[in-house]
């Protein structure tokens, strides 16, 4: 049986290839590479799915002690992150009939997987007691659906800023490949709402898990606090948009800021701040 | 009218306008986000020496003054949360006053001319006459919209319909949920407690040390730890399971018995008992019995202080033993599984009586784990005891338990549910009104579909288009049948 991590390494390159083709299609304004990129994205997503399932199966094959749903450490969550970015991007591509986004989204998925391969903990390890909980699985899945929606929203926001620059330069001349600003703006809003809902559910399922495992649903641990900071930034974005009618540039900037907070919550906290949340050390 | 009454309405008014302003909301939200960062950079609730070492004494003074060492419970952070709550409540009251009538309107009015002039309206032409479509359209629309009404116009009819008026309440649910969450947190911190207790296997405890103050707190029941086991995965580094078998007793009566592991605590009377840590207890002798039968042979060693010679003898409880070199007579009296010496735990021990050659009587404690213990007596002979044939004891552990009472947790969970439901409604549902007007014209029948939605206008436009297409098909299909 092929090892899951081999498949996932190959998938990393496939996402990368898709990203390059999307970029070529965008820069040279050609349809063909874009269509090819879509096909390749599907292949990457399929490979990513197979990699995850294979890892799941392999963990059980290594013995019942090892068996677990593959959402339990940094490596596994990054692989899932790439998968959710892939899924959300493809849904957006089909629904809004635009490929330009792929030039940012596919490289993000590729980066997530590349970063995963740098993780020292890519071997399948049996779960420590604190991680044996269905709430944890719900927590990881919902958080990453939220993160991935924010990642795609981030891609849209970058496009928006690029676009508004270009629009300033060449009053709408031949910009067929970037969707109209209103669409990008609307897309950011939809994605942020989707991401916000899942981040909310993710924080809540995390709290319920924490109540069971660590006795308290909220203990102001740096990871928790940073997820709250992220949540607050997006809540502010939604209020600006819904109540003050902010559009476009300012929303795009807030969305980028929000995604930076997501990245810090996910990576930064582990490296720069000390806390108990480092994938569940058994405290005391 | 005096000065005061003239001025104060102005103050009250501007205070109110400040409290209901959305600017306040986003400023508070972003302030909370920014300030929260502090507590993730500076560790919270550490010992003061640690701060002084890390940041210097002056910084520590500042930290302590501003409550930065426990910032999430500081007056300014809690104050900010309070402003948020007041802001939310004030806004909700303010808004509800104006939208209440809109939300609970049972018979909405449609201004047809308004819809006819909307620039996003959709027109389609079909063949069948208007009169033929009336019942058909009414049936189709009324199945999909909660409210629907047909009105006659000069050259045909119009169906007015709407749905989702209640979804305007979603935002209040979200905001209420935040108040509920904070309330639940407050209830928990005011009326709850949490503490730690370490219980050696086979022992009981009814008093915990509170985590916040370090004070002792007596529980309304007793926890007994029957057994504790820790398992490791192969390789011995990664823990696999921590398991305590606990018995809850109240006034000596057993009330509950449960094995707890991490992620599966025990609840009794709303108080949760959580597996949190463990400790291996000190033990020097390998084979220390937990129980000793009355006739079990006991191996005694006597070391004469003068000659240094060690003698061994075997005895049972109650049987007097002559000590060599004429140093007296020892009679073992009983076995004590948990002997104490000046409140220090000695573990299992034998207690006995030593009668010296001069006839002096002394009580002696012989702990099975500490062979040198009797040397402290500074007698002429040092006695040690070891039990033979006793079942070898397994390693002994103490389980570390967190005991937590949080009466606010259900309030918090209710807030969670309310927040999720509210978000779904706010983000993905909307209040939609639709007018479908059918007008007979010279050669054909015109169907106009127009509508408005309070949210997601782009998506709603697609809905209208789909609706127009479907109605046209419906009309033509009916014509074919006829
Ligand atoms: C959790 C996600 C949240 C969502 C989805 C949300 C949504 C909304 C929406 C849709 C509005 C517009 C209301 C309207 O048009 O009547 C609004 C207004 C407002 N929100 Fe939020 N909100 C959220 C969280 C918060 C939080 C955390 C606060 C904290 C204070 C807050 C405070 C406010 C205030 C004060 C208004 C103005 C209300 C008014 O004028 O009626 N919201 N919010």
């Amino acid at each position: 049986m092929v090892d899951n991590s081999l498949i996932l390494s190959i998938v990393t390159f496939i996402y990368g290839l898709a990203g390059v083709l999307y970029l070529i299609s965008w820069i040279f304004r050609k349809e063909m590479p874009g269509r090819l990129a879509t096909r390749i994205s599907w292949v990457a997503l399929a490979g990513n799915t197979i990699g995850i399932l294979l890892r799941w199966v392999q963990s059980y094959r290594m013995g019942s002690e090892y068996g677990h749903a593959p959402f339990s450490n940094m490596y596994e969550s990054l692989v899932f992150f790439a998968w959710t970015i892939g899924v959300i991007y493809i849904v957006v591509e089909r629904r809004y009939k635009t490929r330009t986004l792929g030039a940012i989204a596919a490289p993000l998925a590729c980066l997530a997987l590349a970063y995963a391969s740098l993780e020292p903990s890519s071997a399948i390890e049996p779960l420590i007691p604190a991680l044996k909980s269905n709430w944890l699985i719900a927590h990881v899945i919902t958080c990453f659906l939220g993160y991935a929606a924010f990642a795609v929203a981030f891609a849209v926001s970058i496009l928006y800023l690029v676009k508004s620059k270009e629009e300033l330069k060449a009053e709408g001349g031949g910009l067929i490949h970037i969707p109209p600003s209103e669409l990008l703006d609307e897309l950011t809003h939809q994605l942020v709402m989707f991401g916000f809902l899942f981040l909310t559910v993710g924080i809540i399922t995390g709290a319920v898990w924490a109540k069971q495992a660590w006795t308290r649903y909220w203990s102001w641990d740096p990871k928790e606090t940073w997820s709250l900071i992220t949540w607050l930034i997006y809540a502010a974005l939604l209020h600006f948009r819904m109540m003050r009618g902010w559009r476009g540039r300012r929303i795009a900037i807030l969305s980028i800021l929000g995604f930076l907070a997501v990245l810090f919550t996910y990576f930064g906290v582990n490296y720069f701040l000390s806390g108990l949340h480092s994938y569940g050390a058994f405290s005391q | 009218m005096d000065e005061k009454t003239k001025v104060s309405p102005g103050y009250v008014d501007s205070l109110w306008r400040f409290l209901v302003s959305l600017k306040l909301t986003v400023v508070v939200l972003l302030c909370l986000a920014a300030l929260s960062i502090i507590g993730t950079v500076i560790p919270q609730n550490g010992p003061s020496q640690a701060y002084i070492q890390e940041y210097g004494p002056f910084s520590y003074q500042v930290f302590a003054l501003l409550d930065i060492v426990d910032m999430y419970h500081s007056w300014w952070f809690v104050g900010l949360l309070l402003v948020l709550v007041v802001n939310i409540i004030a806004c909700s009251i303010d808004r509800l006053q104006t939208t209440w009538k809109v939300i609970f309107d049972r018979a909405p009015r449609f201004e047809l001319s308004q819809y006819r002039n909307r620039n996003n309206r959709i027109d389609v032409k079909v063949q069948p006459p208007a009169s033929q479509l009336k019942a058909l359209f009414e049936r189709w629309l009324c199945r999909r919209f909660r409210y629907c009404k047909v009105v006659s116009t000069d050259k045909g009819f119009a169906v007015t319909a709407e749905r989702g008026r209640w979804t305007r309440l979603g935002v209040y649910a979200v905001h209420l949920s935040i108040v509920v969450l904070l309330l639940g947190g407050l209830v928990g911190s005011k009326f709850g407690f949490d503490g730690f207790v370490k219980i050696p296997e086979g022992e009981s405890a009814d008093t915990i040390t509170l985590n916040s103050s370090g004070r002792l707190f007596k529980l309304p029941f007793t926890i007994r730890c029957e057994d504790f086991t820790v398992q490791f995965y192969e390789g011995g580094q990664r823990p696999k399971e921590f398991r305590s078998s606990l018995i809850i007793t109240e006034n000596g009566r057993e009330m509950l018995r449960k094995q707890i592991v991490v992620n599966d605590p025990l609840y009794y009377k709303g108080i949760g008992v959580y597996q949190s840590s463990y400790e291996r207890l000190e033990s020097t002798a390998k084979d220390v019995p937990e129980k000793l039968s009355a006739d079990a042979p006991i191996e005694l060693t006597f070391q004469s202080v003068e000659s240094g010679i060690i003698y061994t003898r075997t005895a049972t409880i109650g049987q007097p033993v002559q000590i060599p070199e004429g140093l007296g007579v020892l009679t073992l009296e009983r076995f004590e599984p948990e002997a104490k010496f000046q409140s220090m735990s000695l573990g299992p021990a034998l207690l006995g009586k030593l009668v010296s050659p001069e006839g002096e009587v002394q009580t002696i404690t012989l702990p099975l784990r500490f062979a040198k213990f009797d040397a402290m007596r500074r007698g002429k002979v040092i006695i040690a005891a070891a039990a033979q044939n006793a079942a070898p004891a397994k390693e002994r552990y103490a389980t570390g338990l967190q005991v937590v009472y949080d009466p606010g947790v259900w309030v918090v969970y209710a807030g969670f549910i309310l927040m999720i439901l509210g978000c779904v409604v706010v983000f993905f549902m909307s209040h939609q009104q639709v007018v479908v007007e059918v007008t007979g014209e010279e050669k054909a029948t015109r169907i106009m579909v127009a509508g408005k939605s309070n949210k997601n206008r782009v998506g709603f436009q697609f809905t209208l288009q789909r609706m127009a297409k479907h109605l046209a098909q419906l009309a033509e299909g009916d014509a074919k049948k006829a």
Side-chain angles (χ1 to χ4, degrees):
Chain A
M1 204 168 178
V2 197
D3 188 61
N4 65 78
S5 48
L6 175 65
I7 291 188
L8 291 169
S9 322
I10 296 170
V11 169
T12 314
F13 290 103
I14 303 180
Y15 274 125
L17 180 62
V20 170
L21 287 171
Y22 278 124
L23 197 64
I24 290 174
S25 163
W26 177 18
I27 293 176
F28 297 102
R29 301 186 183 163
K30 290 270 186 304
E31 185 77 10
M32 250 316 279
R35 263 198 233 143
L36 192 59
T38 303
R39 299 250 167 86
I40 292 177
S41 302
W42 276 101
V43 173
L45 186 61
N48 201 341
T49 313
I50 291 170
I52 292 173
L53 292 177
L54 206 58
R55 190 176 174 89
W56 202 329
V57 171
Q58 277 172 354
S59 77
Y60 277 93
R61 289 222 171 148
M62 289 170 70
S64 61
E65 291 196 336
Y66 285 82
H68 63 265
F71 308 114
S72 75
N73 62 17
M74 194 65 166
Y75 176 82
E76 290 172 351
S77 69
L78 277 164
V79 170
F80 184 63
F81 188 29
W83 186 82
T84 46
I85 292 178
V87 169
I88 290 181
Y89 168 69
I90 284 187
V91 169
V92 168
E93 184 187 300
R94 284 179 71 88
R95 234 180 104 170
Y96 292 87
K97 314 226 172 346
T98 164
R99 290 209 176 90
T100 335
L101 267 184
I104 301 170
L108 276 178
C110 169
L111 273 179
L113 280 180
Y115 196 77
S117 66
L118 296 179
E119 270 299 305
S121 62
S122 73
I124 297 174
E125 299 268 12
L127 293 183
I128 61 167
L131 299 185
K132 290 177 185 164
S133 167
N134 288 333
W135 285 107
L136 174 67
I137 297 175
H139 172 60
V140 173
I141 290 177
T142 47
C143 275
F144 281 96
L145 278 171
Y147 287 177
F150 291 144
V152 179
F154 165 78
V156 178
S157 303
I158 299 239
L159 264 192
Y160 187 94
L161 293 183
V162 170
K163 161 114 183 161
S164 56
K165 273 242 178 69
E166 269 187 48
E167 261 171 354
L168 284 182
K169 266 192 272 173
E171 288 293 315
L175 287 169
I176 32 165
H177 279 270
I178 305 186
S181 309
E182 304 88 76
L183 182 64
L184 291 179
D185 183 59
E186 177 64 24
L187 197 52
T188 308
H189 184 54
Q190 294 286 339
L191 284 165
V192 168
M193 288 197 301
F194 181 86
F196 191 82
L197 176 68
F198 277 96
L199 179 62
T200 307
V201 178
I203 294 176
I204 288 173
T205 48
V208 176
W209 170 52
K211 177 71 191 160
Q212 273 189 356
W214 326 90
T215 79
R216 274 190 287 174
Y217 50 81
W218 194 263
S219 38
W220 294 107
D221 148 291
K223 195 114 184 163
E224 285 172 354
T225 309
W226 269 95
S227 71
L228 180 69
I229 292 168
T230 308
W231 191 81
L232 289 170
I233 292 175
Y234 282 107
L237 183 157
L238 289 170
H239 282 86
F240 276 131
R241 160 98 199 192
M242 288 193 272
M243 295 296 297
R244 313 209 89 193
W246 274 23
R247 289 288 183 280
R249 200 179 155 71
R250 288 185 284 192
I251 292 293
I253 289 172
L254 268 178
S255 148
I256 290 170
L257 185 69
F259 188 63
L260 294 181
V262 168
L263 289 181
F264 194 82
T265 308
Y266 188 14
F267 303 108
V269 170
N270 296 14
Y271 296 111
F272 298 115
L273 306 174
S274 60
L276 298 171
H277 211 103
S278 57
Y279 280 99
F282 186 68
S283 69
Q284 293 187 328
Chain B
M1 220 191 262
D2 65 41
E3 195 68 28
K4 217 173 172 185
T5 46
K6 232 169 34 189
V7 169
S8 64
Y11 280 133
V12 171
D13 209 44
S14 56
L15 178 69
W16 181 253
R17 256 182 291 130
F18 171 72
L19 285 179
V20 301
S21 74
L22 189 73
K23 211 182 262 172
L24 179 65
T25 314
V26 283
V27 166
V28 172
L29 287 182
L30 292 176
C31 276
L32 280 172
L35 289 171
S36 293
I37 297 175
I38 299 173
T40 68
V41 176
I42 298 170
Q44 297 289 293
N45 297 307
S48 50
Q49 299 93 313
Y51 292 107
I52 293 170
Q53 213 162 46
E54 180 79 24
Y55 303 98
F58 176 74
S59 300
Y60 176 65
Q61 294 263 308
V62 176
F63 289 178
L65 196 71
L66 293 176
D67 276 343
I68 285 176
V69 294
D70 187 16
M71 66 152 276
Y72 301 109
H73 304 100
S74 68
W75 58 267
W76 46 271
F77 196 80
V78 173
L80 214 50
L81 289 175
L82 207 65
V83 172
L84 198 68
V85 167
V86 172
N87 181 217
I88 290 180
I89 293 175
C91 268
S92 300
I93 292 172
D94 192 53
R95 284 256 151 174
L96 269 176
Q97 273 175 348
T98 55
T99 53
W100 190 265
K101 281 224 181 68
V102 177
I103 294 171
F104 295 99
D105 191 352
R106 295 244 150 251
R109 283 159 31 117
F110 288 80
E111 204 61 62
L112 285 186
S113 61
Q114 220 186 59
Y115 288 88
R116 285 179 190 134
N117 292 331
R118 287 185 77 83
N119 52 12
N120 65 353
R121 67 171 191 274
I122 300 155
D123 286 310
V124 266
K125 295 242 156 83
V126 293
Q127 286 309 318
S131 56
Q132 214 176 334
L133 302 176
K134 196 166 176 176
L136 195 63
F137 280 17
E138 186 180 358
R139 190 144 34 90
W140 194 83
L141 280 162
C142 289
R143 221 181 305 141
R144 280 159 186 81
F145 288 82
R146 197 179 144 116
Y147 168 90
C148 100
K149 196 170 167 211
V150 185
V151 290
S152 296
T153 55
D154 359 327
K155 287 191 207 152
F157 67 94
V159 187
T160 58
E162 76 158 20
R163 63 185 166 195
R165 189 170 278 265
W166 63 274
T167 62
R168 289 177 181 269
L169 283 173
V171 62
Y172 299 101
V174 173
H175 294 155
L176 182 65
S177 77
I178 291 162
V179 178
V180 170
L181 285 180
L182 292 174
L183 190 72
L186 187 70
V187 169
S189 66
K190 281 277 167 284
F191 303 106
F193 60 79
D194 61 285
F196 179 79
V197 61
K198 190 175 84 180
I199 310 177
E201 284 176 297
E203 291 184 29
S204 306
D206 64 354
T207 307
I208 60 173
T209 311
L210 294 181
N211 293 332
S212 52
S213 60
R215 255 182 270 150
L216 295 182
F217 180 86
K218 195 164 177 317
L219 296 171
F221 53 78
T222 304
I223 308 170
R224 182 177 160 78
C225 173
E226 285 280 273
D227 187 37
F228 174 85
T229 54
V230 50
Q231 286 182 45
F232 291 88
Y233 289 111
E234 258 171 69
Q237 288 304 309
R238 256 175 118 73
K240 180 178 176 188
E241 186 184 78
F242 309 96
R243 180 182 291 271
S244 298
S245 303
L246 302 183
I247 300 175
I248 302 291
T249 56
E250 220 175 328
N251 305 323
R253 278 203 17 236
E254 179 179 325
M255 307 305 288
L256 182 69
R257 182 184 276 264
K258 183 174 158 79
Q259 300 203 346
I260 64 166
V261 294
V262 179
N263 267 314
D264 185 16
L266 164 164
Y267 294 102
Y268 181 67
K269 291 198 160 169
I271 300 176
V273 179
Y274 297 79
Q275 182 68 57
S276 143
S277 60
Y278 73 99
E279 198 173 286
R280 181 179 291 164
L281 293 176
E282 189 82 24
S283 130
T284 47
K286 275 255 161 59
D287 48 352
V288 173
E290 287 175 65
K291 296 194 181 77
L292 198 65
S293 57
D295 55 354
I298 294 155
E299 197 168 283
L300 293 167
T301 52
F302 302 98
Q303 181 176 8
S304 160
V305 174
E306 207 170 70
S307 65
I309 300 173
I310 297 172
Y311 307 89
T312 57
R313 295 285 182 275
T314 306
T316 54
I317 287 175
Q319 176 197 1
V321 182
Q322 290 287 338
I323 303 175
E325 299 187 11
L327 292 172
V329 178
L330 174 72
T331 312
L332 295 175
E333 291 183 320
R334 64 192 172 86
F335 174 73
E336 174 63 55
E338 279 298 330
K340 289 227 162 38
F341 175 73
Q342 291 178 352
S343 83
M344 188 177 86
S345 178
L346 294 177
L350 287 153
L351 304 185
K353 206 175 271 170
L354 175 67
V355 184
S356 71
E358 293 83 38
E360 219 177 297
V361 180
Q362 237 181 333
T363 307
I364 323 202
T365 305
L366 304 174
L368 301 184
R369 289 205 189 115
F370 306 105
K372 295 271 190 302
F373 182 77
D374 192 48
M376 289 203 317
R377 187 168 53 86
R378 299 186 180 281
K380 289 186 175 143
V381 60
I382 301 168
I383 310 172
Q388 280 183 343
N389 302 339
K394 55 176 201 115
E395 283 186 308
R396 199 153 170 270
Y397 291 99
T399 183
L401 305 173
Q402 287 283 347
V403 182
V404 178
Y405 175 58
D406 184 351
V409 73
W410 296 109
V411 181
V412 171
Y413 284 7
F416 284 166
I417 291 170
L418 193 61
M419 177 175 286
I420 294 173
L421 295 179
C423 277
V424 170
V425 172
V426 170
F427 293 153
F428 304 113
M429 296 173 141
S430 56
H431 177 197
Q432 307 173 347
Q433 290 185 321
V434 171
V435 169
V436 175
E437 187 174 30
V438 180
T439 323
E441 290 181 351
E442 274 170 34
K443 283 206 186 111
T445 305
R446 187 172 75 106
I447 303 174
M448 181 206 73
V449 179
K452 54 183 178 186
S453 155
N454 69 334
K455 270 174 271 171
N456 190 13
R457 311 224 154 86
V458 178
F460 183 61
Q461 193 58 29
F462 285 125
T463 310
L464 288 182
Q465 272 161 7
R466 252 179 283 131
M467 197 181 280
K469 204 167 142 197
H470 195 93
L471 286 172
Q473 278 173 354
L474 208 63
E476 299 287 8
D478 197 61
K480 268 185 213 127
K481 249 189 280 159

